Amino acid sequence: MKTKVMFVCLGNICRSPMAEAVFNHLAAEKGMSDSVKASSSGTAGYHEGGNADHRTIKTLRSHGVPINHTAHKITKADIAGYDLIFAMDSENLYNVERIASDADRKKIMRFRKFDPKGEGDVPDPYYGSETDFEIVYEMCLRTCEKIIGHIMKDNE
Ligand code: 4NP
């Protein structure tokens, strides 16, 4: 059975599409694309239907990670249809938990729960520099690696 993972940020153009692309790329490298699959969404619909931020695309490209993205606002049905939901920061965690049913709430956690370098929020790079996007990329890389390991261990 395939484990479906959803990453959620605010606009679904910077942080969560970065996590989605890194996660799916790592899974493909490990030959695990049949067992795990990530998607992403936003708690706000400002950018719905649009591409990822050009700085997200540029950062991913510099690391050889492909991205093909259309921004989407999260729905209650999305939450029901995914196995694990990772909010990129505490505000998004609060907003996803708010629309989830009681039964679905246990699937939702903060992304950096699995960051080996510490918990907390993934800082919003939207008003930041290219370096801020690189910092988000590094966070996504080391955290997605751990999340995939966690899923594989659970499925053993
Ligand atoms: P994201 O970043 O939540 O990581 O996609 C943002 C994208 C857009 C906006 C804020 C944050 N915005 O205000 O439009």
Side-chain angles (χ1 to χ4, degrees):
M1 207 193 71
K2 191 176 272 194
T3 301
K4 291 174 71 188
V5 175
M6 169 77 89
F7 300 111
V8 189
C9 62
L10 177 63
N12 191 217
I13 57 170
C14 300
R15 293 165 290 178
S16 62
M18 185 94 87
E20 173 189 346
V22 168
F23 184 100
N24 287 331
H25 186 61
L26 282 174
E29 279 184 343
K30 295 172 193 295
M32 287 171 15
S33 301
D34 289 340
S35 334
V36 291
K37 168 92 177 121
S39 301
S40 67
S41 57
T43 53
Y46 320 130
H47 300 277
E48 200 149 34
N51 204 343
D53 187 282
H54 65 279
R55 297 161 296 176
T56 300
I57 296 169
K58 187 176 171 190
T59 304
L60 287 169
R61 189 173 292 149
S62 77
H63 292 283
V65 179
I67 178 165
N68 177 11
H69 182 67
T70 304
H72 164 73
K73 184 178 176 184
I74 195 165
T75 65
K76 197 169 177 169
D78 290 328
I79 297 172
Y82 282 79
D83 301 299
L84 293 168
I85 297 172
F86 294 97
M88 305 311 279
D89 68 27
S90 43
E91 191 178 328
N92 291 303
L93 177 70
Y94 173 79
N95 285 320
V96 178
E97 282 180 340
R98 216 160 42 100
I99 59 169
S101 69
D102 288 343
D104 285 339
R105 211 160 284 138
K106 62 181 180 299
K107 306 174 185 175
I108 307 168
M109 65 209 88
R110 211 155 30 158
F111 180 68
R112 291 191 69 203
K113 179 178 178 192
F114 287 93
D115 184 348
K117 290 198 177 171
E119 293 198 41
D121 291 342
V122 179
D124 182 354
Y126 187 63
Y127 294 105
S129 66
E130 289 199 3
T131 306
D132 296 315
F133 279 79
E134 183 62 27
I135 289 167
V136 171
Y137 171 80
E138 298 295 339
M139 242 172 225
C140 286
L141 184 61
R142 62 184 189 248
T143 304
C144 286
E145 183 77 51
K146 292 289 179 193
I147 292 172
I148 291 173
H150 170 77
I151 294 169
M152 289 302 110
K153 206 159 150 243
D154 256 18
N155 289 354
E156 266 172 15

